[in-house]
Amino acid sequence: MYTIEDVSKLTGLSISIISRYLNGYNVRKENKKLIDEAIKKTGYTPNEFARGLRARHTKSVGVIIPKLTDVFALEVISNLEKELKKEGYGILVANCMNDRNNELSCVKTMLQKRVDAIVMLPFGDISGINAIMSKANVPLIVFDQYFKELNADYVLFENKESAKRACDILIENGHRNIAIVLGPLTDYTPRQRLKGFRKSLESNGIPIVDENIYEAEDYSLESGYKFLNDIMKRADKPTAIFSTSCDLTVGVFKGVYELGLKIPDDISIMAFDSLPLYDLIMPKLWTVVQPIEEYGKQLARQVLTRVVNCVERPYTTYFIGYDIREGQSIKNLKL
């Protein structure tokens, strides 16, 4: 493996001049030519991390997510990594395992590794995060959650409007007794989706029934399964279900099949998110689709604007649009 010393011997230039050039500083045109030719001849690859420490950049971005089984988060950061690689950046991923203390520890670890920015989907109390980040002078970009007291750029999905449109579609098909299952309402995303659900019912003159609003303990398959079994025990069973998270939806389907129900004859379903597994479910699901690729691209844009372009600007919030994928999981009660 060739070193910077080998490049120095070939060019006759000092290591300090070569290092200065590699770190982005101007050198004489003739020296630049000598260094480029030597690097091409030897195949010398600069140590990007060491260069970063000297130049105050490591070309790395820390990513913190609640759990590694979160399909949505994994797809988002996969697209984020794809975009950052185009600019020579890599990512370091940390799993806080749905633990508030561990989440704070992950932030500290990322800062110790001198990442150029942190991208995260916060899980717990963010007061400690804000205190640490305010002293670190490292950009923070948050996705899928919003905390007005947290100083960060945000990339969010149009949760409220997409949920309203999804519920409108159920109503347009004659459904009035609609149940919704949501993640914990302490989180930003389910709160926004509930607002969209309520807005749809109100604008269509349909009374809001508290029993039709089900707050799950978490976003797990088990919670979706429990919801389905609880809701179908009621005397006034809903004609339609709006499931607002992919894992919850899988749990709902498990309950539907175990109870021997048929979709959409016995129960209509509108789902959120898009999983490869959904393509195996028959009949095909109606779903609210989040453009994951655009999510990743926008996160990368936010990172690069702050880090590469060093833009000083007020914190921004960018909203990602939505799409509705048609299926056969909704029965038209008007026919």
Side-chain angles (χ1 to χ4, degrees), residues 31-51:
N31 290 343
K32 177 181 181 297
K33 183 179 179 181
L34 286 170
I35 295 170
D36 286 340
E37 289 175 350
I39 288 175
K40 186 176 180 180
K41 182 176 180 180
T42 61
Y44 167 66
T45 303
N47 185 320
E48 291 292 341
F49 183 74
R51 284 175 60 195

Side-chain angles (χ1 to χ4, degrees), residues 231-254:
I231 206 80
M232 297 311 291
K233 289 176 183 176
R234 286 173 31 188
D236 58 335
K237 299 180 183 65
T239 61
I241 288 171
F242 184 15
S243 179
T244 61
S245 173
C246 52
D247 287 340
L248 291 174
T249 300
V250 174
V252 166
F253 265 85
K254 179 183 177 184

Side-chain angles (χ1 to χ4, degrees), residues 157-166 168-169 272 287-291 319-325:
F157 181 64
E158 282 283 5
N159 290 290
K160 184 177 177 180
E161 290 307 312
S162 61
K164 178 187 180 302
R165 180 59 194 140
D168 283 345
I169 290 172
F272 233 104
T287 56
V288 178
V289 179
Q290 302 186 72
F319 285 95
I320 302 290
Y322 69 94
D323 191 18
I324 302 284
R325 187 176 71 177

Side-chain angles (χ1 to χ4, degrees), residues 114-130:
R114 303 188 65 157
V115 295
D116 295 334
I118 292 178
V119 174
M120 70 183 300
L121 198 174
F123 167 73
D125 179 7
I126 51 83
S127 58
I129 296 173
N130 216 10

